[in-house]
Amino acid sequence: MPILKDKAQFVPIIYDEPYYILSVLNVVDALDHNRTIITNTTIRKAYFKEDIVKNQLIFQVPEGRSGTIYVTDELKNRIGNSKFKGHEFTEVWNSEDTIEAELESKLLFDKKIKEIENSNVLPMKWGIAYSLVESGKAVASGKWKIQKSINGNILLGQLTNDLAYEWTDPSYWPPILIA
């Protein structure tokens, strides 16, 4: 793809058919650190410096440990209209997101947390909560929720700013939850 020039390269891999892996060379210091939410080494919610990303088609950020590739709508549309296969896009940032919308989202998040904390359920010990979850019930406390998945795993969810839970199948339970 000529428009990517020195921004990325296609690396061929050996297989029955020709396959390529995209290697992004363009690393840009584009995160708005005043608004971006990073926990440990994970970028939970990215906000970019619009003046920097407006001239980029594809890039990664130095803080990204997971290899996340960011593309603009222009490149996304070009790829969508091409013969490329095996790609998936998820919107992580919209340049039209405003601080006002972010504050409104935060207010709704805080309201939801208060609803959970003010529910008519008495505090319970970890063992009792875990037994309830094993029996098919869900248990929530603050931004955390545990429940059993359809295949029987006990999942840990963290409420996100869009009021949806981000689920994980933990290899250990954080002490703050079981204390």
Side-chain angles (χ1 to χ4, degrees):
M1 192 172 235
I3 62 167
L4 297 181
K5 297 181 204 165
D6 58 342
K7 306 293 184 195
Q9 63 185 1
F10 291 94
V11 179
I13 60 171
I14 300 172
Y15 197 70
D16 295 339
E17 303 175 39
Y19 282 97
Y20 297 87
I21 296 174
L22 180 66
S23 175
V24 176
L25 307 172
N26 190 29
V27 179
V28 180
D29 185 17
L31 285 180
D32 177 347
H33 291 282
N34 293 325
R35 296 176 68 197
T36 296
I37 300 168
I38 301 175
T39 56
N40 297 325
T41 59
T42 304
I43 299 171
R44 296 280 177 203
K45 177 66 178 155
Y47 291 92
F48 296 102
K49 299 172 192 169
E50 190 171 357
D51 58 322
I52 293 176
V53 298
K54 71 180 176 186
N55 297 320
Q56 307 296 326
L57 288 175
I58 188 168
F59 63 96
Q60 290 182 303
V61 294
E63 299 84 353
R65 308 270 191 270
S66 65
T68 302
I69 298 170
Y70 300 99
V71 301
T72 60
D73 288 337
E74 179 185 347
L75 184 59
K76 176 185 172 269
N77 294 335
R78 286 185 184 202
I79 291 172
N81 294 329
S82 72
K83 295 179 183 178
F84 286 111
K85 296 179 190 174
H87 57 275
E88 181 179 320
F89 297 103
T90 303
E91 184 174 287
V92 296
W93 178 70
N94 184 329
S95 62
E96 296 174 5
D97 286 348
T98 63
I99 292 176
E100 291 79 17
E102 188 178 326
L103 290 173
E104 178 65 24
S105 174
K106 176 77 171 120
L107 288 172
L108 292 172
F109 177 84
D110 290 345
K111 181 180 176 185
K112 181 67 174 176
I113 293 293
K114 283 186 180 169
E115 285 175 15
I116 293 168
E117 291 172 348
N118 293 331
S119 65
N120 293 328
V121 178
L122 297 173
M124 65 183 77
K125 294 191 178 278
W126 171 254
I128 295 169
Y130 198 84
S131 295
L132 286 170
V133 171
E134 284 184 319
S135 72
K137 306 270 190 243
V139 177
S141 177
K143 66 181 179 180
W144 301 104
K145 186 174 187 179
I146 57 174
Q147 69 183 39
K148 196 174 201 177
S149 71
I150 57 173
N151 51 349
N153 296 340
I154 305 298
L155 301 178
L156 173 63
Q158 183 175 0
L159 190 65
T160 62
N161 286 341
D162 61 359
L163 304 183
Y165 282 93
E166 187 174 282
W167 295 99
T168 185
D169 190 350
S171 56
Y172 74 97
W173 290 93
I176 193 166
L177 296 177
I178 58 177

